[in-house]
Amino acid sequence: MTASDLGLLLHTDLAVEDLWRTDTLVALADLGRRDVCIERRQALGALAYQVATLALPGPSWWTAAARGTPRPAFGRRVGQGDVTAVGDMVSLFSRMDQRRGGGHGRTAVVQYLTTEATPLLHARFATEALRRDMFSATAELAYLSGWMAFDASEHAVAQRWFTYAVRLAAEADNAPLAGHILRAMAHQANDLGHHRAAERVANASLEGDRYRSASHRERALLGVVHARTLATSGDTKRAAEALVRAEDDLARASASQDEPQRVWFFGEASLAHETACALRDSGDLGGALREFRHSVRTRQAAFPRTHAVTLGYLGAIQAQQGGIEQACATWSRALDLMDGVRSGRTVQTARQMRAALSPYRPRGVRAVHDVDARAAAYLAHSA
């Protein structure tokens, strides 16, 4: 029995230090049970995102975590097929997230993680390598739970999933995976306006083997998020340098290179989108406009959520530069893509559309009226 099973944690937040000090598997199972239960999920929703949690532990913690935590093993012996099965589920859920947003299937992901994957971490392993592989696979599943919660604007819950995912990656001694998750934590913090903290976590995502041992595609992803945190922190020179390095890293990626499945989505269009955001936040609206357009031209149909957000950002710059009818045409395309998407980011995009259109409503422009009405309908449906 855990404290939350007894109802002791339902209305109070977890202490920040507990996110790093408690046993990872106990904490993971506890969060999973709370997140799949409707009543307990509502209590989780009342928790606050904690910037203090972004203060990462020092090198000694990572070294100790990589040695693994001694735990009694029980249950059947886990084989490579079990690891592959968890990886297959990560791939399946990841593709659903990319297409339909974090609001679709998040409970199913958490349920699978809690009832199927986490128990396997307590099982018997034939080799140490197999144990590390299972911890890595489960870390990716925990990361995906966090990413979907982040996309659904459930930020406090997402932060906890990300933290436990990092801890699993540390126990797997998987530095590139830890870097990947830290990159997501930096992305979230940056979006929430905690720019200096985001920059510190983005720096950590690039340290040592997190960057050195990563594939070129993953290096590019880490680098472009780092660039975005530099841009929002006002360091435009270093942001520009980081963007060039990320572009070079992606150019070196190839289909023949052994890449982790988790970076399958990151390509030319994604890099252009993130580059545009960094340029926009640096004050270079012309460059941002160019890169958003490049992202729109190269985006595949399999990514309607991100494509809609890109079009939303593109329209916002067009409106800012006085091209309101052009912006309406862009936003209309974005709203087409939002059909069937449940994402906090698309909701925020629709809200930004309505805010930008507000000064134009009294003028009776048909395009403004139509887009505004469609955005309002989307927001009402998403409530």
Coordinates of all heavy atoms in Angstrom, one line a residue, residues 255-290:
A255 N 19.0 7.2 -43.9 CA 18.2 6.0 -43.6 C 19.0 4.8 -43.2 O 18.5 3.9 -42.6 CB 17.4 5.7 -44.9
S256 N 20.3 4.8 -43.6 CA 21.2 3.7 -43.3 C 21.7 3.7 -41.9 O 22.2 2.7 -41.4 CB 22.3 3.7 -44.3 OG 23.1 4.9 -44.2
Q257 N 21.6 4.9 -41.2 CA 22.1 5.0 -39.9 C 21.1 4.3 -38.9 O 19.9 4.4 -39.0 CB 22.3 6.4 -39.5 CG 23.0 6.6 -38.1 CD 23.1 8.1 -37.7 OE1 22.3 8.9 -38.1 NE2 24.1 8.3 -36.8
D258 N 21.7 3.7 -37.9 CA 20.8 3.0 -36.9 C 20.3 4.1 -36.0 O 21.0 4.8 -35.2 CB 21.7 2.0 -36.1 CG 20.8 1.3 -35.0 OD1 19.6 1.2 -35.2 OD2 21.4 0.8 -34.1
E259 N 19.0 4.3 -36.1 CA 18.3 5.4 -35.3 C 17.3 4.8 -34.4 O 16.6 3.9 -34.7 CB 17.7 6.4 -36.2 CG 18.6 7.2 -37.1 CD 17.9 8.2 -37.9 OE1 16.7 8.0 -38.2 OE2 18.5 9.2 -38.3
P260 N 17.1 5.4 -33.2 CA 16.0 4.9 -32.3 C 14.6 5.3 -32.9 O 14.5 6.3 -33.6 CB 16.3 5.7 -31.0 CG 17.0 6.9 -31.4 CD 17.9 6.5 -32.6
Q261 N 13.7 4.5 -32.7 CA 12.3 4.7 -33.2 C 11.7 6.0 -32.7 O 10.9 6.6 -33.4 CB 11.4 3.5 -32.8 CG 10.0 3.7 -33.2 CD 9.8 3.6 -34.7 OE1 10.6 3.1 -35.4 NE2 8.7 4.2 -35.1
R262 N 12.2 6.5 -31.5 CA 11.5 7.7 -31.0 C 11.7 9.0 -31.8 O 11.1 10.0 -31.6 CB 12.1 7.9 -29.5 CG 13.6 8.2 -29.5 CD 14.0 8.3 -28.0 NE 15.5 8.4 -27.9 CZ 16.3 7.3 -27.7 NH1 15.8 6.2 -27.6 NH2 17.6 7.5 -27.7
V263 N 12.7 9.0 -32.7 CA 12.9 10.2 -33.5 C 12.3 10.0 -34.9 O 12.7 10.8 -35.8 CB 14.4 10.5 -33.6 CG1 14.9 10.9 -32.2 CG2 15.2 9.4 -34.2
W264 N 11.4 9.1 -35.1 CA 10.9 8.8 -36.5 C 10.2 10.0 -37.1 O 10.2 10.3 -38.3 CB 9.9 7.7 -36.4 CG 8.6 8.0 -35.7 CD1 8.4 7.9 -34.3 CD2 7.4 8.4 -36.2 NE1 7.1 8.3 -34.0 CE2 6.5 8.6 -35.2 CE3 7.0 8.7 -37.6 CZ2 5.2 9.1 -35.4 CZ3 5.6 9.1 -37.8 CH2 4.8 9.3 -36.7
F265 N 9.6 10.9 -36.2 CA 8.8 12.0 -36.7 C 9.6 13.2 -37.1 O 9.1 14.2 -37.7 CB 7.9 12.5 -35.5 CG 8.6 13.1 -34.4 CD1 8.8 14.4 -34.3 CD2 9.1 12.2 -33.3 CE1 9.5 15.0 -33.2 CE2 9.8 12.8 -32.3 CZ 10.0 14.1 -32.2
F266 N 10.9 13.3 -36.7 CA 11.7 14.5 -36.8 C 12.4 14.5 -38.1 O 13.4 13.7 -38.4 CB 12.7 14.6 -35.7 CG 13.4 16.0 -35.6 CD1 12.7 17.1 -35.1 CD2 14.6 16.2 -36.1 CE1 13.2 18.4 -35.1 CE2 15.2 17.4 -36.1 CZ 14.5 18.5 -35.6
G267 N 12.0 15.4 -39.0 CA 12.6 15.6 -40.3 C 12.7 17.0 -40.7 O 12.7 17.9 -39.9
E268 N 12.8 17.2 -42.0 CA 13.0 18.6 -42.6 C 11.9 19.5 -42.1 O 12.1 20.7 -41.7 CB 13.0 18.5 -44.1 CG 13.3 19.8 -44.8 CD 13.3 19.7 -46.3 OE1 13.2 18.5 -46.8 OE2 13.5 20.7 -47.0
A269 N 10.6 19.1 -42.2 CA 9.5 20.0 -41.8 C 9.5 20.3 -40.3 O 9.3 21.4 -39.9 CB 8.2 19.3 -42.1
S270 N 9.9 19.3 -39.5 CA 10.0 19.6 -38.0 C 11.1 20.6 -37.7 O 10.9 21.5 -36.9 CB 10.2 18.3 -37.3 OG 9.1 17.4 -37.5
L271 N 12.2 20.4 -38.3 CA 13.3 21.3 -38.1 C 13.0 22.7 -38.5 O 13.3 23.7 -37.8 CB 14.6 20.8 -38.9 CG 15.8 21.7 -38.7 CD1 16.3 21.7 -37.3 CD2 16.9 21.3 -39.7
A272 N 12.3 22.8 -39.7 CA 11.9 24.2 -40.1 C 10.9 24.8 -39.2 O 11.0 26.0 -38.9 CB 11.3 24.0 -41.5
H273 N 10.0 24.0 -38.6 CA 9.0 24.5 -37.7 C 9.7 25.1 -36.4 O 9.4 26.2 -36.0 CB 8.0 23.4 -37.3 CG 7.1 23.8 -36.2 ND1 5.8 24.2 -36.4 CD2 7.3 23.8 -34.8 CE1 5.2 24.5 -35.2 NE2 6.1 24.2 -34.2
E274 N 10.6 24.3 -35.9 CA 11.3 24.7 -34.6 C 12.2 25.9 -34.9 O 12.4 26.8 -34.1 CB 12.0 23.5 -34.0 CG 11.2 22.3 -33.6 CD 10.2 22.6 -32.5 OE1 10.4 23.7 -31.8 OE2 9.3 21.9 -32.3
T275 N 12.9 25.9 -36.1 CA 13.7 27.0 -36.5 C 12.9 28.3 -36.6 O 13.3 29.3 -36.1 CB 14.4 26.7 -37.8 OG1 15.3 25.5 -37.7 CG2 15.3 27.9 -38.3
A276 N 11.7 28.2 -37.2 CA 10.9 29.3 -37.3 C 10.5 29.9 -36.0 O 10.4 31.1 -35.8 CB 9.6 29.0 -38.1
C277 N 10.2 29.0 -35.0 CA 9.8 29.5 -33.7 C 11.0 30.2 -33.0 O 10.8 31.2 -32.4 CB 9.4 28.3 -32.8 SG 7.8 27.5 -33.3
A278 N 12.2 29.7 -33.2 CA 13.3 30.3 -32.6 C 13.6 31.7 -33.3 O 13.9 32.7 -32.6 CB 14.6 29.4 -32.8
L279 N 13.4 31.8 -34.6 CA 13.6 33.0 -35.3 C 12.5 34.1 -34.9 O 12.8 35.2 -34.7 CB 13.6 32.8 -36.8 CG 14.8 32.0 -37.4 CD1 14.5 31.7 -38.8 CD2 16.1 32.7 -37.2
R280 N 11.3 33.6 -34.8 CA 10.2 34.4 -34.3 C 10.5 35.0 -32.9 O 10.4 36.2 -32.7 CB 8.9 33.6 -34.3 CG 7.7 34.4 -33.7 CD 6.6 33.4 -33.3 NE 7.1 32.5 -32.3 CZ 6.5 31.4 -31.9 NH1 5.4 31.0 -32.6 NH2 7.0 30.6 -30.9
D281 N 11.0 34.1 -32.0 CA 11.3 34.6 -30.7 C 12.5 35.4 -30.6 O 12.7 36.1 -29.6 CB 11.4 33.4 -29.7 CG 10.1 32.6 -29.6 OD1 9.0 33.2 -29.9 OD2 10.1 31.4 -29.3
S282 N 13.3 35.4 -31.6 CA 14.5 36.3 -31.7 C 14.2 37.6 -32.3 O 15.0 38.5 -32.4 CB 15.6 35.6 -32.5 OG 16.1 34.4 -31.9
G283 N 12.9 37.8 -32.8 CA 12.5 39.0 -33.4 C 12.7 39.0 -35.0 O 12.4 40.1 -35.6
D284 N 13.1 37.9 -35.6 CA 13.3 37.9 -37.0 C 12.0 37.3 -37.7 O 11.9 36.1 -38.0 CB 14.5 37.0 -37.3 CG 14.8 36.9 -38.8 OD1 14.1 37.5 -39.6 OD2 15.7 36.1 -39.2
L285 N 11.0 38.2 -37.9 CA 9.7 37.7 -38.4 C 9.9 37.3 -39.8 O 9.2 36.3 -40.3 CB 8.7 38.8 -38.2 CG 8.3 39.2 -36.8 CD1 7.1 40.2 -36.8 CD2 8.0 38.0 -36.0
G286 N 10.7 37.9 -40.6 CA 10.9 37.5 -42.0 C 11.5 36.1 -42.1 O 11.0 35.3 -42.9
G287 N 12.5 35.9 -41.3 CA 13.1 34.5 -41.3 C 12.1 33.5 -40.8 O 12.0 32.4 -41.3
A288 N 11.3 33.8 -39.8 CA 10.3 32.9 -39.3 C 9.2 32.6 -40.3 O 8.8 31.4 -40.5 CB 9.6 33.5 -38.0
L289 N 8.8 33.6 -41.0 CA 7.8 33.4 -42.1 C 8.3 32.5 -43.2 O 7.6 31.5 -43.6 CB 7.5 34.8 -42.7 CG 6.2 34.9 -43.6 CD1 5.0 34.7 -42.7 CD2 6.2 36.3 -44.2
R290 N 9.6 32.7 -43.5 CA 10.2 31.8 -44.5 C 10.3 30.3 -44.0 O 9.9 29.4 -44.8 CB 11.6 32.3 -44.8 CG 12.4 31.4 -45.9 CD 13.8 31.8 -46.0 NE 14.6 31.6 -44.7 CZ 15.1 32.5 -43.9 NH1 14.9 33.8 -44.1 NH2 15.8 32.1 -42.8

